[in-house]
Amino acid sequence: MSEFLDLHGRTSKVLRALADAAMRRHGLHVGQNYLLAALWERDGSTPGEVAAALNVTTPTVVKMADRMTAAGMLTRRRDDRDNRLVRLWLTDAGRALQKPVEAERRLIEEKVTADLTETERESLLNALTKVHRAARELLLSGSVEDSDSAIT
């Protein structure tokens, strides 16, 4: 395995574990904070729209939404113009989680980057932004090209 992929994978797992532990303190299960964040940006999205924004499948969002509806964080309502569509809407409880969840995420970020200078933080964010963009483009295109062939 390449050094970058190995280090990135291990780092992603430990960061995810830290974030998941923090989110559990707010009654959230794995990944639910991302669904909430998508609705904080665009309340009333369809499960398909949320899935596309989070790069997951629609059934994953539907399953998460079932759990979050039962927990009182969101509601489902038919679209006013197209009765075939269901939209996800935050409840007051879902909206109330925004500040504490964002504060938890900021705290984790501050702690894990505490040994970095401001210049190093900026460089890290710039580099990760470029890596994310390239990886997303490869994923969307359905292939990774090496010198002579495509892997799909």
Side-chain angles (χ1 to χ4, degrees):
M1 181 180 275
S2 80
E3 184 179 355
F4 171 77
L5 288 178
D6 183 46
L7 180 58
H8 184 272
R10 287 185 291 128
T11 302
S12 292
K13 285 180 183 180
V14 73
L15 286 172
R16 176 77 181 249
L18 282 170
D20 288 345
M23 295 307 108
R24 280 192 299 274
R25 288 193 288 274
H26 298 284
L28 297 172
H29 295 277
V30 173
Q32 289 180 342
N33 57 306
Y34 296 111
L35 191 151
L36 285 174
L39 294 177
W40 293 330
E41 283 187 28
R42 196 163 162 232
D43 200 12
S45 296
T46 66
E49 291 167 342
V50 172
L54 300 180
N55 200 33
V56 298
T57 65
T58 300
T60 297
V61 171
V62 169
K63 185 175 179 179
M64 246 191 280
D66 287 343
R67 220 174 181 176
M68 295 171 77
T69 298
M73 291 180 233
L74 58 90
T75 61
R76 289 183 167 101
R77 290 196 306 257
R78 292 271 173 208
D79 184 89
D80 293 338
R81 288 171 273 167
D82 185 346
N83 199 37
R84 296 170 297 175
L85 293 177
V86 172
R87 297 201 171 270
L88 305 175
W89 297 92
L90 292 165
T91 62
D92 289 342
R95 274 189 285 289
L97 287 169
Q98 185 171 4
K99 285 184 181 177
V101 164
E102 288 177 349
E104 288 269 16
R105 292 177 56 83
R106 268 191 308 278
L107 182 62
I108 291 168
E109 185 175 322
E110 288 168 9
K111 286 183 176 183
V112 301
T113 61
D115 289 342
L116 301 178
T117 66
E118 189 58 37
T119 301
E120 288 171 328
R121 278 190 199 103
E122 287 176 25
S123 294
L124 176 62
L125 287 175
N126 287 335
L128 285 174
T129 298
K130 289 177 182 180
V131 168
H132 178 264
R133 183 178 24 233
R136 184 163 174 81
E137 287 172 8
L138 286 170
L139 185 64
L140 292 173
S141 73
S143 68
V144 177
E145 293 182 17
D146 61 17
S147 59
D148 351 52
S149 64
I151 302 168
T152 56

